[in-house]
Amino acid sequence: MRSLLILGCGGHGKVVYECALLAGEYCRVAFASNLDEPSPVDGVPVYPESEVSSLLASGEYGEVLVAIGDNVARRVKCEALRAEGAALATLVHPSACVSPSVEVGAGSVVLAGAVINAGAKVGAGCIVNTRAVIEHDCVLGDYAHMSPGACIGGGTRVGEGSWLCIGSVISDHVDVAGGVTLGAGSALLRDAEGPGLYVGSPARLRRKL
């Protein structure tokens, strides 16, 4: 069986840890952190982040997953690891419903109760959080984050690094630029052509980012 190093041991890291255990594919799972006093799951090793490269190069851990909610920080760390030749893990919770025709990129995690339907594509380093829904033929760009309960309709395209906050929805066949934040509970009904914060129902651009 494989071994996994989770970079980040905050709340999201703990959720990813439990997802990895339930997936049943890893014999060893540990954390790495840059915090002075990390607070991980009891009994689980926590290595300094400065040791990640050597742990991977030595083969002590075969795969790594960056469990950081911030899209920019996750992208920076994922791309640095890729440049070193690290193997980025992809995790899918056993309670998620993912069509066999779906593509999920390296470094992405699909959490409990999420649904991803036929023909959808999830990019690298994405978070598809608890009970999020990606309908058929959607594209979720690299390093995007769908928070719990977020939902995108069929044929929608979400750009790189966008964040759909908790309970937000996007109608079908909508194009969303990279770097968009859709506020909690908001409903986007038409294209979001530039980065920024969109809020309301229907959602409108509140401020450019």
Side-chain angles (χ1 to χ4, degrees):
M1 295 179 73
R2 294 134 62 195
S3 55
L4 176 67
L5 191 59
I6 298 171
L7 204 165
C9 61
H12 180 57
K14 293 173 184 178
V15 173
V16 168
Y17 169 75
E18 293 187 356
C19 179
L21 293 186
L22 290 168
E25 298 176 0
Y26 296 97
C27 60
R28 286 186 302 126
V29 182
F31 291 102
S33 175
N34 60 7
L35 299 177
D36 293 332
E37 297 183 5
S39 55
V41 178
D42 289 343
V44 181
V46 183
Y47 298 94
E49 190 173 322
S50 59
E51 296 182 12
V52 168
S53 295
S54 60
L55 288 166
L56 295 171
S58 69
E60 188 166 351
Y61 290 89
E63 299 174 43
V64 61
L65 195 143
V66 180
I68 297 173
D70 181 87
N71 292 346
V72 174
R74 190 170 65 259
R75 175 178 180 169
V76 168
K77 292 181 185 295
C78 281
E79 293 187 350
L81 288 163
R82 274 184 151 172
E84 295 176 5
L88 298 183
T90 301
L91 287 181
V92 178
H93 194 282
S95 71
C97 182
V98 180
S99 164
S101 63
V102 165
E103 298 178 18
V104 181
S108 290
V109 59
V110 180
L111 293 173
V115 177
I116 310 179
N117 277 327
K121 295 181 180 180
V122 175
C126 291
I127 300 171
V128 182
N129 223 314
T130 311
R131 294 194 179 277
V133 176
I134 299 176
E135 266 301 341
H136 64 88
D137 303 307
C138 289
V139 176
L140 189 66
D142 294 347
Y143 308 108
H145 180 177
M146 291 185 65
S147 294
C151 179
I152 57 177
T156 285
R157 302 175 65 90
V158 176
E160 183 173 319
S162 287
W163 177 23
L164 311 186
C165 297
I166 191 165
S168 60
V169 297
I170 302 177
S171 188
D172 54 299
H173 299 289
V174 171
D175 287 340
V176 178
V180 163
T181 296
L182 182 60
S186 296
L188 185 64
L189 306 182
R190 60 184 183 183
D191 294 354
E193 297 178 351
L197 172 64
Y198 293 75
V199 296
S201 183
R204 292 183 172 83
L205 179 62
R206 175 66 61 86
R207 71 171 182 269
K208 295 182 179 180
L209 299 177

PDB file of all heavy atoms in Angstrom, residues 18 31 39 61 103 109 120 126 130-131 136 183 200:
ATOM      1  N   GLU A  18      -8.905  12.295   7.317  1.00  0.00           N
ATOM      2  CA  GLU A  18      -9.952  11.290   7.493  1.00  0.00           C
ATOM      3  C   GLU A  18     -10.413  10.722   6.150  1.00  0.00           C
ATOM      4  O   GLU A  18     -10.713   9.529   6.044  1.00  0.00           O
ATOM      5  CB  GLU A  18     -11.122  11.883   8.270  1.00  0.00           C
ATOM      6  CG  GLU A  18     -10.756  12.206   9.718  1.00  0.00           C
ATOM      7  CD  GLU A  18     -11.937  12.642  10.546  1.00  0.00           C
ATOM      8  OE1 GLU A  18     -13.048  12.783   9.996  1.00  0.00           O
ATOM      9  OE2 GLU A  18     -11.745  12.852  11.760  1.00  0.00           O
ATOM     10  N   PHE A  31       1.293  14.297   8.672  1.00  0.00           N
ATOM     11  CA  PHE A  31       1.161  15.717   8.336  1.00  0.00           C
ATOM     12  C   PHE A  31       2.532  16.367   8.218  1.00  0.00           C
ATOM     13  O   PHE A  31       3.520  15.905   8.802  1.00  0.00           O
ATOM     14  CB  PHE A  31       0.392  16.460   9.433  1.00  0.00           C
ATOM     15  CG  PHE A  31      -1.060  16.112   9.534  1.00  0.00           C
ATOM     16  CD1 PHE A  31      -1.511  15.261  10.529  1.00  0.00           C
ATOM     17  CD2 PHE A  31      -1.987  16.653   8.658  1.00  0.00           C
ATOM     18  CE1 PHE A  31      -2.849  14.947  10.655  1.00  0.00           C
ATOM     19  CE2 PHE A  31      -3.330  16.354   8.763  1.00  0.00           C
ATOM     20  CZ  PHE A  31      -3.769  15.497   9.765  1.00  0.00           C
ATOM     21  N   SER A  39      -1.621  21.690  15.616  1.00  0.00           N
ATOM     22  CA  SER A  39      -2.537  20.904  16.453  1.00  0.00           C
ATOM     23  C   SER A  39      -3.212  19.837  15.595  1.00  0.00           C
ATOM     24  O   SER A  39      -4.366  19.981  15.195  1.00  0.00           O
ATOM     25  CB  SER A  39      -3.596  21.814  17.084  1.00  0.00           C
ATOM     26  OG  SER A  39      -4.281  22.551  16.087  1.00  0.00           O
ATOM     27  N   TYR A  61       7.783   8.741   2.214  1.00  0.00           N
ATOM     28  CA  TYR A  61       6.383   8.981   1.819  1.00  0.00           C
ATOM     29  C   TYR A  61       6.344   9.085   0.302  1.00  0.00           C
ATOM     30  O   TYR A  61       7.133   9.814  -0.297  1.00  0.00           O
ATOM     31  CB  TYR A  61       5.827  10.236   2.484  1.00  0.00           C
ATOM     32  CG  TYR A  61       5.627  10.038   3.967  1.00  0.00           C
ATOM     33  CD1 TYR A  61       6.658  10.312   4.861  1.00  0.00           C
ATOM     34  CD2 TYR A  61       4.430   9.526   4.462  1.00  0.00           C
ATOM     35  CE1 TYR A  61       6.497  10.095   6.218  1.00  0.00           C
ATOM     36  CE2 TYR A  61       4.263   9.307   5.824  1.00  0.00           C
ATOM     37  CZ  TYR A  61       5.297   9.592   6.692  1.00  0.00           C
ATOM     38  OH  TYR A  61       5.127   9.359   8.032  1.00  0.00           O
ATOM     39  N   GLU A 103     -12.915  13.346 -15.097  1.00  0.00           N
ATOM     40  CA  GLU A 103     -11.476  13.481 -14.911  1.00  0.00           C
ATOM     41  C   GLU A 103     -11.218  14.364 -13.693  1.00  0.00           C
ATOM     42  O   GLU A 103     -11.765  15.459 -13.596  1.00  0.00           O
ATOM     43  CB  GLU A 103     -10.832  14.123 -16.142  1.00  0.00           C
ATOM     44  CG  GLU A 103     -10.974  13.318 -17.423  1.00  0.00           C
ATOM     45  CD  GLU A 103     -10.369  14.030 -18.620  1.00  0.00           C
ATOM     46  OE1 GLU A 103      -9.552  14.958 -18.412  1.00  0.00           O
ATOM     47  OE2 GLU A 103     -10.711  13.678 -19.758  1.00  0.00           O
ATOM     48  N   VAL A 109      -8.993  17.044  -4.217  1.00  0.00           N
ATOM     49  CA  VAL A 109      -9.695  16.233  -3.237  1.00  0.00           C
ATOM     50  C   VAL A 109     -11.201  16.429  -3.417  1.00  0.00           C
ATOM     51  O   VAL A 109     -11.671  17.545  -3.632  1.00  0.00           O
ATOM     52  CB  VAL A 109      -9.248  16.581  -1.804  1.00  0.00           C
ATOM     53  CG1 VAL A 109      -9.503  18.041  -1.463  1.00  0.00           C
ATOM     54  CG2 VAL A 109      -9.907  15.667  -0.791  1.00  0.00           C
ATOM     55  N   ALA A 120     -17.769  15.664 -16.678  1.00  0.00           N
ATOM     56  CA  ALA A 120     -17.174  16.826 -16.012  1.00  0.00           C
ATOM     57  C   ALA A 120     -15.663  16.657 -15.894  1.00  0.00           C
ATOM     58  O   ALA A 120     -15.141  15.538 -15.905  1.00  0.00           O
ATOM     59  CB  ALA A 120     -17.786  17.026 -14.637  1.00  0.00           C
ATOM     60  N   CYS A 126      -7.652  21.110  -6.945  1.00  0.00           N
ATOM     61  CA  CYS A 126      -8.979  21.633  -6.606  1.00  0.00           C
ATOM     62  C   CYS A 126      -9.493  21.049  -5.296  1.00  0.00           C
ATOM     63  O   CYS A 126      -9.075  19.973  -4.863  1.00  0.00           O
ATOM     64  CB  CYS A 126      -9.982  21.304  -7.703  1.00  0.00           C
ATOM     65  SG  CYS A 126      -9.717  22.166  -9.254  1.00  0.00           S
ATOM     66  N   THR A 130     -17.591  19.208   0.946  1.00  0.00           N
ATOM     67  CA  THR A 130     -18.717  18.393   1.398  1.00  0.00           C
ATOM     68  C   THR A 130     -20.022  18.756   0.684  1.00  0.00           C
ATOM     69  O   THR A 130     -20.444  19.905   0.696  1.00  0.00           O
ATOM     70  CB  THR A 130     -18.908  18.569   2.913  1.00  0.00           C
ATOM     71  OG1 THR A 130     -17.646  18.411   3.556  1.00  0.00           O
ATOM     72  CG2 THR A 130     -19.900  17.575   3.465  1.00  0.00           C
ATOM     73  N   ARG A 131     -20.626  17.749   0.044  1.00  0.00           N
ATOM     74  CA  ARG A 131     -21.928  17.876  -0.625  1.00  0.00           C
ATOM     75  C   ARG A 131     -21.969  18.933  -1.732  1.00  0.00           C
ATOM     76  O   ARG A 131     -23.036  19.425  -2.097  1.00  0.00           O
ATOM     77  CB  ARG A 131     -23.048  18.116   0.392  1.00  0.00           C
ATOM     78  CG  ARG A 131     -23.281  16.925   1.304  1.00  0.00           C
ATOM     79  CD  ARG A 131     -24.590  17.026   2.066  1.00  0.00           C
ATOM     80  NE  ARG A 131     -24.804  15.868   2.910  1.00  0.00           N
ATOM     81  CZ  ARG A 131     -25.327  14.709   2.486  1.00  0.00           C
ATOM     82  NH1 ARG A 131     -25.687  14.574   1.224  1.00  0.00           N
ATOM     83  NH2 ARG A 131     -25.497  13.701   3.319  1.00  0.00           N
ATOM     84  N   HIS A 136     -23.210  17.636 -15.115  1.00  0.00           N
ATOM     85  CA  HIS A 136     -22.611  17.066 -16.327  1.00  0.00           C
ATOM     86  C   HIS A 136     -21.903  18.112 -17.180  1.00  0.00           C
ATOM     87  O   HIS A 136     -22.334  19.257 -17.297  1.00  0.00           O
ATOM     88  CB  HIS A 136     -23.687  16.367 -17.174  1.00  0.00           C
ATOM     89  CG  HIS A 136     -24.736  17.317 -17.681  1.00  0.00           C
ATOM     90  ND1 HIS A 136     -24.610  18.003 -18.865  1.00  0.00           N
ATOM     91  CD2 HIS A 136     -25.928  17.691 -17.148  1.00  0.00           C
ATOM     92  CE1 HIS A 136     -25.670  18.759 -19.058  1.00  0.00           C
ATOM     93  NE2 HIS A 136     -26.499  18.598 -18.027  1.00  0.00           N
ATOM     94  N   GLY A 183     -20.003  34.845  -3.403  1.00  0.00           N
ATOM     95  CA  GLY A 183     -20.313  34.902  -1.986  1.00  0.00           C
ATOM     96  C   GLY A 183     -21.253  33.814  -1.508  1.00  0.00           C
ATOM     97  O   GLY A 183     -22.013  33.224  -2.277  1.00  0.00           O
ATOM     98  N   GLY A 200     -25.093  38.122  -4.023  1.00  0.00           N
ATOM     99  CA  GLY A 200     -26.521  38.383  -4.193  1.00  0.00           C
ATOM    100  C   GLY A 200     -27.201  37.321  -5.037  1.00  0.00           C
ATOM    101  O   GLY A 200     -26.599  36.367  -5.523  1.00  0.00           O
TER     102      GLY A 200
END
